[in-house]
Amino acid sequence: MPVLQFSNINHQFDNGDQLFQQLSGSMGESRVGLVGRNGVGKSILISILVGEITPTEGSVVLSSSFAIYKQQPSELLASELSIAQFLGKSAVLEAINQIEDGAYSEALFEIVGEEWDLLSRLGQQLLAMGLPQDPYFPCAKLSGGQLARLQLWQLFESDAQLLVLDEPSNHLDTASKQWLIERIKAFKGAILLVSHDRELLREVNEIWDLSSLGLTVFGGNYDFYTEQKQTERLAVERRMAHINKQQKQLEEQAQRNREKAEQRASHGKRMRKDGSQPKILLDAKKESATARASNSSKNEQLRRAYLQQQEQVLALRQEHLRGQNLYLNSMPSRSIKVVTMFDGVLPFTHLAPLTFQVCANEKIHLAGKNGCGKSTLLKVLQGEVALLQGTIQVNTSLYYLDQHFAVINPQLSMLDNLLQYCEGLAESDARTLLAGIGFRRDSVFRLGEVLSGGEKMKLAMLIVSHQRSQPLLLLDEPDNHLDLESKIVLAQALSAYQGGYILVSHDDDFIVESGPSRQIELEST
C-alpha cells in the first residue's frame, strides 16, 4: 500500500487565482525528489499532502506516520527550549541528576530506564554533529546550520515512516551535507525531498516535476531526469518545426486554391459574356464550384484550427522547457591586485592570520565549515568590521550580496529597481534583461516585496553586475534560494563574467559550474 496517495488536487487562492489543478500521484517506500521553478507551489503542495492546508478540491490519503522538516524554524528561534528539551531528553537527564543527588524514587528509575549513559552519549553525538556539547544550551542561540542539523537529527532518530524534507541542505556546509546524504541512504522509510541541490537529488529514485502544466513523474534520479528533459526538449522542438511546416504548406495550398477559384470564376464570366455555353449549364458549374470552394474552405479552417491548437500546446511545453538567460554585464578587467591582506586576524573567529591577494578578474571560492568566519571576512573586506591585527588594502569598488537581498527596494517595481540602481541603463535594455529571467510585459511592474527568494536573487544579480565601474562581487551563498534551473543559469553567467568575485557556497555542482579559478579555505586553529 502506498505511504502517500493523492488524487485530483486543486488549490485556489482567495482572490480566485488557480495555483494548480488536477494533481494526482502516489508514493511507496521510495525516495522522491520534488522539483520545480520558484513560485510554482511546491511548499503549498507539501502542506496539502501533510494536512496543514486543505485543498480546494481533491483528496489525500497519508497511510504512514510522518515527520516534516521546514527551512525556517521560527518557533525554535523564539522559544526558550534547550537542546535536551527539543530532543525530548530533558526528563531523563533531570531524573539522572536527582538520583545522583541522592533522591530515590521508583518513578525516577522508570524514567531513566536503560539510559544511564545518556549524558555522555548525548555529548558525543552533539560533538559529532558540530553542536555545543552542553545539552542545556538554548536552541535560540544556535546558528542556522546548527539548527538545521539539530532538527534533521531529531527527524532521522524518530519512528516516522515518511520524512518530508523541505530544502534540508540550505544552511549546511559540505561536511554536514555529506552527513545528511548518509542519513538519507540509511533511512529505512520513505523520503519526500523538496530540494534544488543536485547532490541530494542524485540519491532519489523518482523525480516529481511540478510546473504550470501539472505534475510529471520521472522514474530515476536527477541525472536521469535531466537526460529525459533534454530528450523531451529536442522532441518538442522537432514537433514544433513540423507543425510550422504544415501550417506553411496549408497556407500555400489555400493560396493556390484561391487562385484556381478566381481563375475558374473569371473563365465562367467570359463564357457567360460571349454566350458560348447555355446559361443553365454555367449556373450548374458555378454552384458546383461554389460547393467545392466551401468544402475546401471548411477543411482548411478545421485543419488550421487543429494546427493552431497543437502549436499552443507545444508552445506551453516549450516555455516550460526553455532555459532562462541571466546576462551579467562584463567589461574586460586587467589582472591588477585589488585586495591585499597581510597577517590579518579576523574578529569572532579562531583562524590563523590570513595573508592573500585578489586580482580584479579573479574568481575565488571561499570555503570553510559553518561558523569558521567566511561572512566575517566579507564584512572586513567591506570595512564594516575591523581586523584585530594585520593590514588590509582594497582599491576597487565592491558589491556585497547576502541572503537577505538588501540591494532590492521592496517598494519599487522590478523595472524601477533596475533603472534606479543601474546608472545610465535605458528602459528598453532593462526590459530585455528582465525578459531574460522570465519577466515580460506588465510583469516587470511587480513590486520587490512580492518576489520570491529566487526572483529577488536574480534581480539583485542583474543590479550588482550592471554598475558603471565593474565591482568585485562578494557573493554570500547566492544559490541558496534558487531553483534548479536558476542555479544553472546563474552559474553559467558567473562563469562567463569577465570581472572577479569571491563566492561562498556549499553546493559542489554550482561551485564547479561557476568557474572559480582558485579556492581560499578558512580553517580554525
Side-chain angles (χ1 to χ4, degrees):
M1 182 177 179
V3 297
L4 173 65
Q5 196 164 11
F6 54 100
S7 178
N8 298 322
I9 295 294
N10 290 4
H11 183 75
Q12 191 175 43
F13 294 114
D14 292 339
N15 63 2
D17 290 344
Q18 194 85 27
L19 181 60
F20 45 66
Q21 54 188 335
Q22 301 300 308
L23 299 185
S24 299
S26 64
M27 180 180 172
E29 297 287 339
S30 59
R31 306 284 188 271
V32 172
L34 176 60
V35 302
R37 292 180 178 176
N38 287 328
V40 76
K42 299 186 296 295
S43 294
I44 290 179
L45 177 59
I46 288 296
S47 296
I48 289 174
L49 296 182
V50 300
E52 294 177 347
I53 297 177
T54 302
T56 309
E57 293 181 19
S59 61
V60 178
V61 177
L62 190 57
S63 58
S64 303
S65 59
F66 72 92
I68 184 169
Y69 170 86
K70 292 192 174 181
Q71 298 179 54
Q72 298 178 350
S74 55
E75 68 280 0
L76 274 181
L77 294 173
S79 74
E80 297 181 358
L81 287 178
S82 67
I83 291 176
Q85 288 173 319
F86 176 74
L87 294 175
K89 300 295 184 181
S90 59
V92 178
L93 290 176
E94 180 61 28
I96 293 174
N97 290 335
Q98 289 186 38
I99 293 172
E100 290 179 344
D101 288 342
Y104 181 84
S105 164
E106 186 174 339
L108 291 176
F109 281 89
E110 287 181 359
I111 292 173
V112 175
E114 301 297 324
E115 294 193 276
W116 291 102
D117 62 342
L118 177 62
L119 185 60
S120 62
R121 182 162 46 85
L122 192 56
Q124 292 172 357
Q125 290 172 321
L126 290 171
L127 176 63
M129 290 293 298
L131 298 171
Q133 291 179 258
D134 178 10
Y136 300 103
F137 191 89
C139 292
K141 292 186 178 180
L142 295 173
S143 69
Q146 289 174 325
L147 271 176
R149 291 196 295 274
L150 180 63
Q151 285 184 289
L152 289 166
W153 180 28
Q154 182 202 41
L155 292 186
F156 281 108
E157 292 294 317
S158 72
D159 296 325
Q161 296 170 289
L162 169 65
L163 296 185
V164 181
L165 308 178
D166 190 358
E167 297 287 358
S169 64
N170 259 10
H171 298 284
L172 301 184
D173 57 27
T174 301
S176 298
K177 190 162 66 172
Q178 287 305 313
W179 168 85
L180 173 59
I181 289 173
E182 293 304 317
R183 294 307 301 259
I184 288 175
K185 289 179 178 178
F187 186 67
K188 302 297 183 183
I191 294 177
L192 178 54
L193 171 69
V194 184
S195 180
H196 302 309
D197 191 311
R198 285 165 279 182
E199 197 171 357
L200 263 61
L201 290 171
R202 290 190 178 100
E203 302 302 325
V204 305
N205 48 36
E206 194 169 274
I207 295 286
W208 291 357
D209 185 4
L210 182 61
S211 73
S212 58
L213 303 179
L215 190 67
T216 306
V217 177
F218 295 83
N221 68 2
Y222 173 77
D223 293 328
F224 176 82
Y225 160 76
T226 54
E227 290 174 5
Q228 293 298 107
K229 292 273 281 190
Q230 177 63 15
T231 300
E232 183 183 7
R233 186 179 295 112
L234 294 175
V236 169
E237 289 175 359
R238 288 194 297 269
R239 179 63 180 159
M240 180 66 88
H242 182 64
I243 291 292
N244 292 336
K245 182 179 179 180
Q246 286 182 307
Q247 289 175 321
K248 183 178 179 181
Q249 290 174 342
L250 177 63
E251 294 306 321
E252 289 174 348
Q253 184 61 50
Q255 179 61 30
R256 287 195 293 270
N257 290 342
R258 286 192 294 271
E259 291 173 354
K260 288 180 181 179
E262 290 173 358
Q263 290 172 359
R264 287 194 296 268
S266 178
H267 183 61
K269 287 179 180 179
R270 286 198 302 271
M271 287 190 295
R272 192 179 295 275
K273 187 175 181 180
D274 61 24
S276 60
Q277 290 192 20
K279 183 176 180 299
I280 190 171
L281 179 60
L282 291 174
D283 289 344
K285 286 183 177 182
K286 182 179 180 181
E287 289 179 6
S288 177
T290 302
R292 286 197 304 272
S294 176
N295 288 334
S296 177
S297 177
K298 288 179 181 178
N299 289 335
E300 288 171 6
Q301 290 175 3
L302 290 173
R303 182 64 177 162
R304 188 177 289 110
Y306 171 77
L307 292 174
Q308 286 176 345
Q309 182 186 32
Q310 292 296 304
E311 183 182 35
Q312 289 172 356
V313 171
L314 289 171
L316 287 173
R317 194 66 192 160
Q318 209 168 34
E319 178 65 25
H320 172 63
L321 295 168
R322 181 184 294 120
Q324 298 177 15
N325 295 305
L326 178 56
Y327 299 105
L328 300 190
N329 193 31
S330 295
M331 299 174 288
S333 295
R334 292 178 296 164
S335 184
I336 58 173
K337 295 180 178 65
V338 294
V339 175
T340 300
M341 180 179 289
F342 182 74
D343 282 344
V345 176
L346 301 182
F348 322 120
T349 69
H350 301 284
L351 296 172
L354 294 172
T355 297
F356 64 88
Q357 292 180 323
V358 179
C359 293
N361 57 358
E362 272 196 291
K363 300 175 178 179
I364 295 173
H365 171 223
L366 184 59
K369 293 182 178 180
N370 284 337
C372 70
K374 298 186 296 296
S375 294
T376 300
L377 176 54
L378 296 183
K379 290 178 180 178
V380 167
L381 291 174
Q382 298 173 82
E384 293 183 6
V385 176
L387 291 173
L388 295 181
Q389 67 181 57
T391 62
I392 182 171
Q393 182 177 0
V394 179
N395 58 358
T396 186
S397 57
L398 302 172
Y399 222 115
Y400 176 74
L401 195 64
D402 65 6
Q403 296 181 49
H404 304 292
F405 326 114
V407 66
I408 295 175
N409 186 330
Q411 303 305 317
L412 293 180
S413 69
M414 301 179 74
L415 180 61
D416 287 339
N417 265 287
L418 267 181
L419 295 176
Q420 177 162 322
Y421 297 119
C422 301
E423 185 181 352
L425 184 66
E427 181 175 336
S428 58
D429 293 333
R431 284 181 173 272
T432 299
L433 293 173
L434 290 171
I437 60 172
F439 296 94
R440 298 173 176 84
R441 295 181 287 276
D442 289 347
S443 63
V444 302
F445 299 115
R446 290 178 60 191
L447 295 180
E449 63 185 1
V450 303
L451 301 178
S452 69
E455 291 167 341
K456 286 181 180 179
M457 177 58 75
K458 286 183 280 188
L459 174 60
M461 285 304 304
L462 289 181
I463 292 172
V464 301
S465 68
H466 285 78
Q467 302 303 304
R468 279 193 175 277
S469 60
Q470 187 163 266
L472 180 70
L473 305 182
L474 305 181
L475 307 171
D476 195 353
E477 300 197 56
D479 55 310
N480 228 10
H481 299 279
L482 297 181
D483 56 44
L484 277 168
E485 180 185 352
S486 301
K487 278 193 177 193
I488 295 171
V489 169
L490 176 57
Q492 291 171 342
L494 288 174
S495 180
Y497 184 54
Q498 294 185 35
Y501 63 69
I502 298 178
L503 168 67
V504 177
S505 176
H506 299 297
D507 187 320
D508 289 341
D509 288 291
F510 177 77
I511 294 166
V512 171
E513 291 170 359
S514 297
S517 53
R518 66 184 174 103
Q519 177 176 285
I520 296 176
E521 183 161 5
L522 304 186
E523 295 182 355
S524 299
T525 55

